[in-house]
Amino acid sequence: MKCRVCRGPAIIDLARHNANFCAEHFVQLCRRQVEKAVKDFSMLWPEDRILVAVSGGKDSLALWDILVDLGYRADGLYIGLGIGEYSDESLGYAQRFADARGLNLRVISLRSELGYDIPTAAAATRRVPCSACGLTKRHLFDSAAMEGGYDVVATGHNLDDEAAVLFGNTLRWEIEYLARQLPVLPARPGFPKKVKPLVRLTEREMAAWCIVRNIDYIVEECPMAVGNRHLGYKNTLNAIEEQSPGSKASFYLNFIERMAPLLSDHTGASHDELGECSRCGSPTPNEVCSFCLLVEKSSQHEAVPVEFMTKSGRKRGR
Ligand code: Q46
Ligand code: ZN
Ligand code: ZN
């Protein structure tokens, strides 16, 4: 197996590019894919202060590494979700990554700072854990970025993630979700700009990036993701990709290029009528925002151990 660029020994075969690459040229390919995404979608400017949403997993650490490597000023924010050992270990990976490179990682612990954790929030709201988790992360990343004066929040969503979400939204023709499924969400009053610079790179490529760059990351998936329907969509798309390499990239990237512009009038509610949450000041159409209601409900609920939500708790809700 030889590198397509230098003919030296290759370390990875990428069927969708119909080529193999050595470590050096694989790294170059990944950098170029990120630069292309950043340029095509006007994601970042050289002077931007970026807040990276860091989980301790391969995608977010690879993203932080690539952005710093490309010369951007990027700090990290890790949210301790209180999901048992998974959270304790993932914080360790994020912290060691930051310390080894002299990068700035801010840590917010839900349990000690807000009085709840994700398993408890799921039980208190009687919703699936990812719903409480998504709302929590969105709110805390938005408010940390606004308060910290960051220009943009960057998340490690990769091509597999985005294609799986697109597949789910397409199966149900969720027009408003489809219209909003873009790799850049511009800033609007009370909300920072949000970007996904890894949309041209796959999960496998991000794992390979971490190996090549000596990045230690938490390999275990979040225990609450078990049964998540996006995992099923990813498996389906992987089976299609196996038969027809490149399908995943064309499914997602052609959607963004050809279909999303046709849906731009269907993004749903306008944000003009948003007021301020009476408790936290975030934009909301209601008196109190859904995050503050979640905090109130969850912090009053008896703490629920993660095991309960991943075993017996799993039986309901999905
Ligand atoms: S961390 Fe949170 Fe994910 Fe775990 S509870 Fe669901 S959303 S699966 S990215
Ligand atoms: Zn090479
Ligand atoms: Zn609020």
Side-chain angles (χ1 to χ4, degrees):
M1 198 161 95
K2 287 186 178 163
C3 171
R4 172 163 88 184
V5 185
C6 68
R7 311 306 298 161
I11 54 135
I12 189 165
D13 64 308
L14 297 180
R16 74 189 174 105
H17 295 288
N18 194 21
N20 309 316
F21 296 90
C22 70
E24 180 190 340
H25 291 114
F26 170 68
V27 164
Q28 185 185 69
L29 173 100
C30 292
R31 274 196 203 111
R32 285 184 181 163
Q33 293 292 335
V34 171
E35 284 174 324
K36 180 162 172 49
V38 166
K39 181 162 174 273
D40 287 356
F41 302 115
S42 304
M43 288 185 181
L44 304 169
W45 305 105
E47 65 282 3
D48 277 351
R49 280 189 66 224
I50 305 167
L51 185 63
V52 181
V54 175
S55 70
K58 62 183 182 323
D59 303 304
S60 59
L61 293 182
L63 170 62
W64 201 2
D65 186 45
I66 294 174
L67 292 178
V68 171
D69 186 50
L70 290 173
Y72 290 102
R73 294 186 296 165
D75 293 339
L77 172 58
Y78 174 91
I79 299 173
L81 301 167
I83 305 179
E85 281 175 20
Y86 168 76
S87 288
D88 302 338
E89 285 178 28
S90 56
L91 172 59
Y93 285 101
Q95 195 69 68
R96 285 190 292 277
F97 175 90
D99 291 347
R101 291 160 181 78
L103 297 171
N104 183 19
L105 178 69
R106 179 166 173 222
V107 178
I108 297 177
S109 158
L110 287 189
R111 183 44 80 192
S112 53
E113 292 177 48
L114 291 152
Y116 73 100
D117 51 48
I118 295 304
T120 306
T125 55
R126 307 183 72 79
R127 304 268 300 272
V128 290
C130 296
S131 156
C133 188
L135 172 60
T136 299
K137 290 194 287 194
R138 272 194 306 280
H139 180 92
L140 293 177
F141 282 119
D142 286 352
S143 52
M146 300 302 290
E147 285 162 23
Y150 289 92
D151 298 289
V152 53
V153 172
T155 56
H157 296 95
N158 59 39
L159 178 58
D160 297 64
D161 298 323
E162 293 304 293
V165 172
L166 176 59
F167 192 65
N169 286 338
T170 305
L171 275 180
R172 285 182 290 283
W173 293 115
E174 297 276 14
I175 299 294
E176 286 187 12
Y177 287 139
L178 286 168
R180 280 182 267 145
Q181 207 196 327
L182 300 170
V184 174
L185 290 178
R188 51 195 168 87
F191 296 102
K193 179 179 178 181
K194 290 186 205 161
V195 299
K196 300 174 181 173
L198 301 184
V199 288
R200 302 185 62 89
L201 291 162
T202 65
E203 239 166 65
R204 179 168 169 261
E205 287 155 8
M206 289 301 83
W209 173 278
C210 288
I211 292 169
V212 170
R213 301 275 294 177
N214 261 325
I215 297 171
D216 237 358
Y217 62 90
I218 186 155
V219 175
E220 292 80 40
E221 297 287 339
C222 169
M224 310 230 119
V226 179
N228 184 319
R229 60 183 171 217
H230 286 126
L231 292 182
Y233 298 151
K234 280 186 182 178
N235 292 339
T236 304
L237 288 167
N238 284 341
I240 296 171
E241 181 76 15
E242 179 95 27
Q243 294 293 315
S244 172
S247 299
K248 212 186 286 177
S250 11
F251 177 55
Y252 175 73
L253 295 171
N254 289 348
F255 165 80
I256 295 297
E257 190 186 319
R258 300 175 192 172
M259 194 66 207
L262 304 180
L263 298 175
S264 58
D265 290 342
H266 298 268
T267 52
S270 106
H271 300 288
D272 301 340
E273 67 269 18
L274 293 182
E276 282 188 2
C277 169
S278 60
R279 296 187 194 168
C280 73
S282 294
T284 174
N286 305 313
E287 154 91 25
V288 177
C289 77
S290 37
F291 173 74
C292 287
L293 292 175
L294 177 78
V295 174
E296 180 180 71
K297 216 169 184 182
S298 309
S299 58
Q300 288 169 5
H301 195 281
E302 184 190 351
V304 174
V306 64
E307 296 75 20
F308 179 79
M309 295 311 296
T310 49
K311 289 178 186 149
S312 54
R314 178 62 54 200
K315 291 186 186 121
R316 57 165 183 77
R318 294 237 187 242

PDB file of all heavy atoms in Angstrom, residues 165-195:
ATOM      1  N   VAL A 165     -27.862  12.724  10.800  1.00  0.00           N
ATOM      2  CA  VAL A 165     -28.958  13.644  11.139  1.00  0.00           C
ATOM      3  C   VAL A 165     -29.767  13.965   9.881  1.00  0.00           C
ATOM      4  O   VAL A 165     -31.005  13.967   9.878  1.00  0.00           O
ATOM      5  CB  VAL A 165     -28.410  14.940  11.794  1.00  0.00           C
ATOM      6  CG1 VAL A 165     -29.516  15.968  11.973  1.00  0.00           C
ATOM      7  CG2 VAL A 165     -27.766  14.621  13.138  1.00  0.00           C
ATOM      8  N   LEU A 166     -29.056  14.198   8.779  1.00  0.00           N
ATOM      9  CA  LEU A 166     -29.728  14.493   7.513  1.00  0.00           C
ATOM     10  C   LEU A 166     -30.611  13.315   7.086  1.00  0.00           C
ATOM     11  O   LEU A 166     -31.746  13.496   6.631  1.00  0.00           O
ATOM     12  CB  LEU A 166     -28.676  14.785   6.427  1.00  0.00           C
ATOM     13  CG  LEU A 166     -29.215  15.011   5.021  1.00  0.00           C
ATOM     14  CD1 LEU A 166     -30.181  16.186   4.974  1.00  0.00           C
ATOM     15  CD2 LEU A 166     -28.058  15.244   4.038  1.00  0.00           C
ATOM     16  N   PHE A 167     -30.090  12.109   7.261  1.00  0.00           N
ATOM     17  CA  PHE A 167     -30.837  10.901   6.889  1.00  0.00           C
ATOM     18  C   PHE A 167     -32.137  10.824   7.706  1.00  0.00           C
ATOM     19  O   PHE A 167     -33.221  10.590   7.157  1.00  0.00           O
ATOM     20  CB  PHE A 167     -29.950   9.682   7.164  1.00  0.00           C
ATOM     21  CG  PHE A 167     -30.450   8.408   6.577  1.00  0.00           C
ATOM     22  CD1 PHE A 167     -30.534   8.237   5.211  1.00  0.00           C
ATOM     23  CD2 PHE A 167     -30.827   7.351   7.399  1.00  0.00           C
ATOM     24  CE1 PHE A 167     -30.986   7.045   4.669  1.00  0.00           C
ATOM     25  CE2 PHE A 167     -31.278   6.157   6.870  1.00  0.00           C
ATOM     26  CZ  PHE A 167     -31.360   5.997   5.501  1.00  0.00           C
ATOM     27  N   GLY A 168     -32.025  11.064   9.018  1.00  0.00           N
ATOM     28  CA  GLY A 168     -33.208  11.019   9.890  1.00  0.00           C
ATOM     29  C   GLY A 168     -34.217  12.093   9.510  1.00  0.00           C
ATOM     30  O   GLY A 168     -35.422  11.833   9.413  1.00  0.00           O
ATOM     31  N   ASN A 169     -33.740  13.292   9.248  1.00  0.00           N
ATOM     32  CA  ASN A 169     -34.648  14.388   8.889  1.00  0.00           C
ATOM     33  C   ASN A 169     -35.298  14.150   7.534  1.00  0.00           C
ATOM     34  O   ASN A 169     -36.446  14.521   7.308  1.00  0.00           O
ATOM     35  CB  ASN A 169     -33.892  15.721   8.870  1.00  0.00           C
ATOM     36  CG  ASN A 169     -33.575  16.213  10.275  1.00  0.00           C
ATOM     37  OD1 ASN A 169     -34.225  15.820  11.237  1.00  0.00           O
ATOM     38  ND2 ASN A 169     -32.556  17.058  10.396  1.00  0.00           N
ATOM     39  N   THR A 170     -34.563  13.508   6.634  1.00  0.00           N
ATOM     40  CA  THR A 170     -35.101  13.223   5.308  1.00  0.00           C
ATOM     41  C   THR A 170     -36.149  12.106   5.387  1.00  0.00           C
ATOM     42  O   THR A 170     -37.181  12.166   4.712  1.00  0.00           O
ATOM     43  CB  THR A 170     -33.963  12.814   4.349  1.00  0.00           C
ATOM     44  OG1 THR A 170     -32.976  13.844   4.358  1.00  0.00           O
ATOM     45  CG2 THR A 170     -34.463  12.621   2.933  1.00  0.00           C
ATOM     46  N   LEU A 171     -35.879  11.100   6.211  1.00  0.00           N
ATOM     47  CA  LEU A 171     -36.847  10.001   6.351  1.00  0.00           C
ATOM     48  C   LEU A 171     -38.219  10.511   6.764  1.00  0.00           C
ATOM     49  O   LEU A 171     -39.241   9.982   6.366  1.00  0.00           O
ATOM     50  CB  LEU A 171     -36.361   9.001   7.409  1.00  0.00           C
ATOM     51  CG  LEU A 171     -35.399   7.914   6.966  1.00  0.00           C
ATOM     52  CD1 LEU A 171     -35.039   7.047   8.164  1.00  0.00           C
ATOM     53  CD2 LEU A 171     -36.003   7.062   5.869  1.00  0.00           C
ATOM     54  N   ARG A 172     -38.196  11.559   7.587  1.00  0.00           N
ATOM     55  CA  ARG A 172     -39.473  12.100   8.079  1.00  0.00           C
ATOM     56  C   ARG A 172     -39.859  13.408   7.386  1.00  0.00           C
ATOM     57  O   ARG A 172     -40.827  14.038   7.743  1.00  0.00           O
ATOM     58  CB  ARG A 172     -39.384  12.312   9.603  1.00  0.00           C
ATOM     59  CG  ARG A 172     -39.467  11.013  10.386  1.00  0.00           C
ATOM     60  CD  ARG A 172     -39.415  11.271  11.876  1.00  0.00           C
ATOM     61  NE  ARG A 172     -38.089  11.715  12.270  1.00  0.00           N
ATOM     62  CZ  ARG A 172     -37.053  10.889  12.399  1.00  0.00           C
ATOM     63  NH1 ARG A 172     -37.209   9.607  12.202  1.00  0.00           N
ATOM     64  NH2 ARG A 172     -35.867  11.333  12.720  1.00  0.00           N
ATOM     65  N   TRP A 173     -39.086  13.823   6.392  1.00  0.00           N
ATOM     66  CA  TRP A 173     -39.293  15.108   5.698  1.00  0.00           C
ATOM     67  C   TRP A 173     -39.537  16.232   6.698  1.00  0.00           C
ATOM     68  O   TRP A 173     -40.528  16.956   6.637  1.00  0.00           O
ATOM     69  CB  TRP A 173     -40.429  15.015   4.669  1.00  0.00           C
ATOM     70  CG  TRP A 173     -40.031  14.115   3.559  1.00  0.00           C
ATOM     71  CD1 TRP A 173     -40.576  12.926   3.226  1.00  0.00           C
ATOM     72  CD2 TRP A 173     -38.940  14.321   2.637  1.00  0.00           C
ATOM     73  NE1 TRP A 173     -39.891  12.356   2.171  1.00  0.00           N
ATOM     74  CE2 TRP A 173     -38.885  13.186   1.790  1.00  0.00           C
ATOM     75  CE3 TRP A 173     -37.989  15.335   2.459  1.00  0.00           C
ATOM     76  CZ2 TRP A 173     -37.938  13.045   0.790  1.00  0.00           C
ATOM     77  CZ3 TRP A 173     -37.044  15.191   1.451  1.00  0.00           C
ATOM     78  CH2 TRP A 173     -37.036  14.051   0.632  1.00  0.00           C
ATOM     79  N   GLU A 174     -38.610  16.369   7.606  1.00  0.00           N
ATOM     80  CA  GLU A 174     -38.676  17.444   8.604  1.00  0.00           C
ATOM     81  C   GLU A 174     -38.142  18.710   7.932  1.00  0.00           C
ATOM     82  O   GLU A 174     -36.954  19.037   8.055  1.00  0.00           O
ATOM     83  CB  GLU A 174     -37.809  17.095   9.819  1.00  0.00           C
ATOM     84  CG  GLU A 174     -38.253  15.868  10.567  1.00  0.00           C
ATOM     85  CD  GLU A 174     -39.346  16.187  11.575  1.00  0.00           C
ATOM     86  OE1 GLU A 174     -39.932  17.283  11.504  1.00  0.00           O
ATOM     87  OE2 GLU A 174     -39.601  15.314  12.413  1.00  0.00           O
ATOM     88  N   ILE A 175     -39.020  19.414   7.224  1.00  0.00           N
ATOM     89  CA  ILE A 175     -38.559  20.511   6.379  1.00  0.00           C
ATOM     90  C   ILE A 175     -37.840  21.612   7.172  1.00  0.00           C
ATOM     91  O   ILE A 175     -36.791  22.105   6.767  1.00  0.00           O
ATOM     92  CB  ILE A 175     -39.744  21.117   5.579  1.00  0.00           C
ATOM     93  CG1 ILE A 175     -40.367  20.052   4.675  1.00  0.00           C
ATOM     94  CG2 ILE A 175     -39.302  22.323   4.766  1.00  0.00           C
ATOM     95  CD1 ILE A 175     -39.468  19.572   3.567  1.00  0.00           C
ATOM     96  N   GLU A 176     -38.400  21.965   8.341  1.00  0.00           N
ATOM     97  CA  GLU A 176     -37.752  23.049   9.097  1.00  0.00           C
ATOM     98  C   GLU A 176     -36.381  22.652   9.613  1.00  0.00           C
ATOM     99  O   GLU A 176     -35.443  23.448   9.604  1.00  0.00           O
ATOM    100  CB  GLU A 176     -38.647  23.502  10.260  1.00  0.00           C
ATOM    101  CG  GLU A 176     -39.820  24.325   9.773  1.00  0.00           C
ATOM    102  CD  GLU A 176     -40.630  24.917  10.912  1.00  0.00           C
ATOM    103  OE1 GLU A 176     -40.181  24.892  12.066  1.00  0.00           O
ATOM    104  OE2 GLU A 176     -41.734  25.421  10.613  1.00  0.00           O
ATOM    105  N   TYR A 177     -36.263  21.396  10.058  1.00  0.00           N
ATOM    106  CA  TYR A 177     -34.942  20.934  10.514  1.00  0.00           C
ATOM    107  C   TYR A 177     -33.973  20.868   9.335  1.00  0.00           C
ATOM    108  O   TYR A 177     -32.808  21.238   9.452  1.00  0.00           O
ATOM    109  CB  TYR A 177     -35.036  19.545  11.170  1.00  0.00           C
ATOM    110  CG  TYR A 177     -35.677  19.548  12.537  1.00  0.00           C
ATOM    111  CD1 TYR A 177     -36.572  18.553  12.904  1.00  0.00           C
ATOM    112  CD2 TYR A 177     -35.374  20.535  13.468  1.00  0.00           C
ATOM    113  CE1 TYR A 177     -37.163  18.544  14.163  1.00  0.00           C
ATOM    114  CE2 TYR A 177     -35.959  20.536  14.723  1.00  0.00           C
ATOM    115  CZ  TYR A 177     -36.855  19.533  15.066  1.00  0.00           C
ATOM    116  OH  TYR A 177     -37.428  19.536  16.306  1.00  0.00           O
ATOM    117  N   LEU A 178     -34.486  20.390   8.197  1.00  0.00           N
ATOM    118  CA  LEU A 178     -33.619  20.305   7.015  1.00  0.00           C
ATOM    119  C   LEU A 178     -33.121  21.697   6.622  1.00  0.00           C
ATOM    120  O   LEU A 178     -31.954  21.889   6.294  1.00  0.00           O
ATOM    121  CB  LEU A 178     -34.371  19.673   5.840  1.00  0.00           C
ATOM    122  CG  LEU A 178     -34.600  18.159   5.950  1.00  0.00           C
ATOM    123  CD1 LEU A 178     -35.607  17.692   4.901  1.00  0.00           C
ATOM    124  CD2 LEU A 178     -33.292  17.395   5.780  1.00  0.00           C
ATOM    125  N   ALA A 179     -34.037  22.667   6.680  1.00  0.00           N
ATOM    126  CA  ALA A 179     -33.674  24.027   6.270  1.00  0.00           C
ATOM    127  C   ALA A 179     -32.604  24.616   7.174  1.00  0.00           C
ATOM    128  O   ALA A 179     -31.835  25.479   6.777  1.00  0.00           O
ATOM    129  CB  ALA A 179     -34.914  24.915   6.279  1.00  0.00           C
ATOM    130  N   ARG A 180     -32.560  24.132   8.425  1.00  0.00           N
ATOM    131  CA  ARG A 180     -31.596  24.702   9.379  1.00  0.00           C
ATOM    132  C   ARG A 180     -30.339  23.851   9.523  1.00  0.00           C
ATOM    133  O   ARG A 180     -29.456  24.190  10.282  1.00  0.00           O
ATOM    134  CB  ARG A 180     -32.264  24.865  10.753  1.00  0.00           C
ATOM    135  CG  ARG A 180     -33.132  26.105  10.827  1.00  0.00           C
ATOM    136  CD  ARG A 180     -33.744  26.271  12.198  1.00  0.00           C
ATOM    137  NE  ARG A 180     -35.063  25.648  12.245  1.00  0.00           N
ATOM    138  CZ  ARG A 180     -35.568  25.038  13.312  1.00  0.00           C
ATOM    139  NH1 ARG A 180     -34.876  24.963  14.399  1.00  0.00           N
ATOM    140  NH2 ARG A 180     -36.768  24.517  13.277  1.00  0.00           N
ATOM    141  N   GLN A 181     -30.276  22.729   8.798  1.00  0.00           N
ATOM    142  CA  GLN A 181     -29.127  21.840   8.992  1.00  0.00           C
ATOM    143  C   GLN A 181     -27.915  22.304   8.180  1.00  0.00           C
ATOM    144  O   GLN A 181     -27.494  21.667   7.216  1.00  0.00           O
ATOM    145  CB  GLN A 181     -29.485  20.394   8.630  1.00  0.00           C
ATOM    146  CG  GLN A 181     -28.593  19.425   9.413  1.00  0.00           C
ATOM    147  CD  GLN A 181     -28.591  18.019   8.881  1.00  0.00           C
ATOM    148  OE1 GLN A 181     -29.596  17.553   8.367  1.00  0.00           O
ATOM    149  NE2 GLN A 181     -27.449  17.344   8.988  1.00  0.00           N
ATOM    150  N   LEU A 182     -27.346  23.420   8.592  1.00  0.00           N
ATOM    151  CA  LEU A 182     -26.218  24.001   7.869  1.00  0.00           C
ATOM    152  C   LEU A 182     -24.957  23.923   8.730  1.00  0.00           C
ATOM    153  O   LEU A 182     -25.048  23.903   9.953  1.00  0.00           O
ATOM    154  CB  LEU A 182     -26.527  25.462   7.538  1.00  0.00           C
ATOM    155  CG  LEU A 182     -27.767  25.659   6.664  1.00  0.00           C
ATOM    156  CD1 LEU A 182     -28.139  27.131   6.600  1.00  0.00           C
ATOM    157  CD2 LEU A 182     -27.517  25.100   5.274  1.00  0.00           C
ATOM    158  N   PRO A 183     -23.781  23.916   8.106  1.00  0.00           N
ATOM    159  CA  PRO A 183     -22.556  23.841   8.910  1.00  0.00           C
ATOM    160  C   PRO A 183     -22.178  25.163   9.574  1.00  0.00           C
ATOM    161  O   PRO A 183     -21.231  25.206  10.342  1.00  0.00           O
ATOM    162  CB  PRO A 183     -21.493  23.413   7.894  1.00  0.00           C
ATOM    163  CG  PRO A 183     -22.049  23.797   6.572  1.00  0.00           C
ATOM    164  CD  PRO A 183     -23.532  23.806   6.674  1.00  0.00           C
ATOM    165  N   VAL A 184     -22.925  26.221   9.268  1.00  0.00           N
ATOM    166  CA  VAL A 184     -22.702  27.518   9.930  1.00  0.00           C
ATOM    167  C   VAL A 184     -24.049  28.088  10.339  1.00  0.00           C
ATOM    168  O   VAL A 184     -24.977  28.117   9.537  1.00  0.00           O
ATOM    169  CB  VAL A 184     -22.063  28.543   8.963  1.00  0.00           C
ATOM    170  CG1 VAL A 184     -21.974  29.906   9.635  1.00  0.00           C
ATOM    171  CG2 VAL A 184     -20.699  28.100   8.542  1.00  0.00           C
ATOM    172  N   LEU A 185     -24.162  28.497  11.581  1.00  0.00           N
ATOM    173  CA  LEU A 185     -25.337  29.258  12.002  1.00  0.00           C
ATOM    174  C   LEU A 185     -24.828  30.650  12.351  1.00  0.00           C
ATOM    175  O   LEU A 185     -23.984  30.794  13.244  1.00  0.00           O
ATOM    176  CB  LEU A 185     -26.002  28.628  13.228  1.00  0.00           C
ATOM    177  CG  LEU A 185     -26.710  27.301  13.000  1.00  0.00           C
ATOM    178  CD1 LEU A 185     -27.286  26.774  14.312  1.00  0.00           C
ATOM    179  CD2 LEU A 185     -27.823  27.442  11.974  1.00  0.00           C
ATOM    180  N   PRO A 186     -25.289  31.679  11.635  1.00  0.00           N
ATOM    181  CA  PRO A 186     -24.770  33.016  11.911  1.00  0.00           C
ATOM    182  C   PRO A 186     -25.166  33.501  13.303  1.00  0.00           C
ATOM    183  O   PRO A 186     -26.144  33.017  13.869  1.00  0.00           O
ATOM    184  CB  PRO A 186     -25.419  33.884  10.825  1.00  0.00           C
ATOM    185  CG  PRO A 186     -26.487  33.074  10.218  1.00  0.00           C
ATOM    186  CD  PRO A 186     -26.304  31.643  10.598  1.00  0.00           C
ATOM    187  N   ALA A 187     -24.412  34.453  13.831  1.00  0.00           N
ATOM    188  CA  ALA A 187     -24.758  35.051  15.119  1.00  0.00           C
ATOM    189  C   ALA A 187     -26.083  35.790  14.972  1.00  0.00           C
ATOM    190  O   ALA A 187     -26.407  36.290  13.894  1.00  0.00           O
ATOM    191  CB  ALA A 187     -23.665  36.030  15.541  1.00  0.00           C
ATOM    192  N   ARG A 188     -26.879  35.810  16.028  1.00  0.00           N
ATOM    193  CA  ARG A 188     -28.075  36.654  16.083  1.00  0.00           C
ATOM    194  C   ARG A 188     -28.184  37.167  17.507  1.00  0.00           C
ATOM    195  O   ARG A 188     -27.477  36.662  18.381  1.00  0.00           O
ATOM    196  CB  ARG A 188     -29.314  35.894  15.609  1.00  0.00           C
ATOM    197  CG  ARG A 188     -29.531  34.565  16.261  1.00  0.00           C
ATOM    198  CD  ARG A 188     -30.538  33.724  15.498  1.00  0.00           C
ATOM    199  NE  ARG A 188     -30.543  32.366  15.952  1.00  0.00           N
ATOM    200  CZ  ARG A 188     -31.281  31.915  16.969  1.00  0.00           C
ATOM    201  NH1 ARG A 188     -32.073  32.727  17.614  1.00  0.00           N
ATOM    202  NH2 ARG A 188     -31.219  30.657  17.329  1.00  0.00           N
ATOM    203  N   PRO A 189     -29.024  38.155  17.761  1.00  0.00           N
ATOM    204  CA  PRO A 189     -29.011  38.776  19.078  1.00  0.00           C
ATOM    205  C   PRO A 189     -29.114  37.743  20.207  1.00  0.00           C
ATOM    206  O   PRO A 189     -30.049  36.948  20.238  1.00  0.00           O
ATOM    207  CB  PRO A 189     -30.233  39.693  19.051  1.00  0.00           C
ATOM    208  CG  PRO A 189     -30.407  39.995  17.595  1.00  0.00           C
ATOM    209  CD  PRO A 189     -29.985  38.768  16.843  1.00  0.00           C
ATOM    210  N   GLY A 190     -28.135  37.744  21.090  1.00  0.00           N
ATOM    211  CA  GLY A 190     -28.134  36.817  22.222  1.00  0.00           C
ATOM    212  C   GLY A 190     -27.508  35.469  21.938  1.00  0.00           C
ATOM    213  O   GLY A 190     -27.343  34.645  22.838  1.00  0.00           O
ATOM    214  N   PHE A 191     -27.193  35.184  20.671  1.00  0.00           N
ATOM    215  CA  PHE A 191     -26.611  33.887  20.313  1.00  0.00           C
ATOM    216  C   PHE A 191     -25.316  34.086  19.518  1.00  0.00           C
ATOM    217  O   PHE A 191     -25.264  34.940  18.626  1.00  0.00           O
ATOM    218  CB  PHE A 191     -27.564  33.069  19.430  1.00  0.00           C
ATOM    219  CG  PHE A 191     -28.845  32.679  20.118  1.00  0.00           C
ATOM    220  CD1 PHE A 191     -30.017  33.373  19.857  1.00  0.00           C
ATOM    221  CD2 PHE A 191     -28.876  31.625  21.015  1.00  0.00           C
ATOM    222  CE1 PHE A 191     -31.200  33.028  20.483  1.00  0.00           C
ATOM    223  CE2 PHE A 191     -30.065  31.267  21.644  1.00  0.00           C
ATOM    224  CZ  PHE A 191     -31.232  31.971  21.378  1.00  0.00           C
ATOM    225  N   PRO A 192     -24.300  33.279  19.807  1.00  0.00           N
ATOM    226  CA  PRO A 192     -23.055  33.407  19.037  1.00  0.00           C
ATOM    227  C   PRO A 192     -23.164  32.673  17.693  1.00  0.00           C
ATOM    228  O   PRO A 192     -24.070  31.864  17.483  1.00  0.00           O
ATOM    229  CB  PRO A 192     -22.039  32.677  19.929  1.00  0.00           C
ATOM    230  CG  PRO A 192     -22.853  31.623  20.618  1.00  0.00           C
ATOM    231  CD  PRO A 192     -24.235  32.206  20.816  1.00  0.00           C
ATOM    232  N   LYS A 193     -22.225  32.973  16.800  1.00  0.00           N
ATOM    233  CA  LYS A 193     -22.092  32.196  15.560  1.00  0.00           C
ATOM    234  C   LYS A 193     -21.643  30.779  15.926  1.00  0.00           C
ATOM    235  O   LYS A 193     -20.874  30.599  16.881  1.00  0.00           O
ATOM    236  CB  LYS A 193     -21.026  32.886  14.699  1.00  0.00           C
ATOM    237  CG  LYS A 193     -20.731  32.223  13.379  1.00  0.00           C
ATOM    238  CD  LYS A 193     -19.672  33.052  12.642  1.00  0.00           C
ATOM    239  CE  LYS A 193     -19.284  32.427  11.325  1.00  0.00           C
ATOM    240  NZ  LYS A 193     -18.256  33.206  10.618  1.00  0.00           N
ATOM    241  N   LYS A 194     -22.127  29.769  15.180  1.00  0.00           N
ATOM    242  CA  LYS A 194     -21.716  28.379  15.454  1.00  0.00           C
ATOM    243  C   LYS A 194     -21.263  27.712  14.179  1.00  0.00           C
ATOM    244  O   LYS A 194     -21.929  27.861  13.130  1.00  0.00           O
ATOM    245  CB  LYS A 194     -22.887  27.607  16.049  1.00  0.00           C
ATOM    246  CG  LYS A 194     -23.199  28.052  17.433  1.00  0.00           C
ATOM    247  CD  LYS A 194     -24.262  27.177  18.027  1.00  0.00           C
ATOM    248  CE  LYS A 194     -24.984  27.942  19.084  1.00  0.00           C
ATOM    249  NZ  LYS A 194     -26.253  27.392  19.426  1.00  0.00           N
ATOM    250  N   VAL A 195     -20.165  26.988  14.262  1.00  0.00           N
ATOM    251  CA  VAL A 195     -19.611  26.364  13.057  1.00  0.00           C
ATOM    252  C   VAL A 195     -19.207  24.910  13.321  1.00  0.00           C
ATOM    253  O   VAL A 195     -18.904  24.533  14.441  1.00  0.00           O
ATOM    254  CB  VAL A 195     -18.376  27.146  12.538  1.00  0.00           C
ATOM    255  CG1 VAL A 195     -18.760  28.564  12.175  1.00  0.00           C
ATOM    256  CG2 VAL A 195     -17.241  27.149  13.547  1.00  0.00           C
TER     257      VAL A 195
END
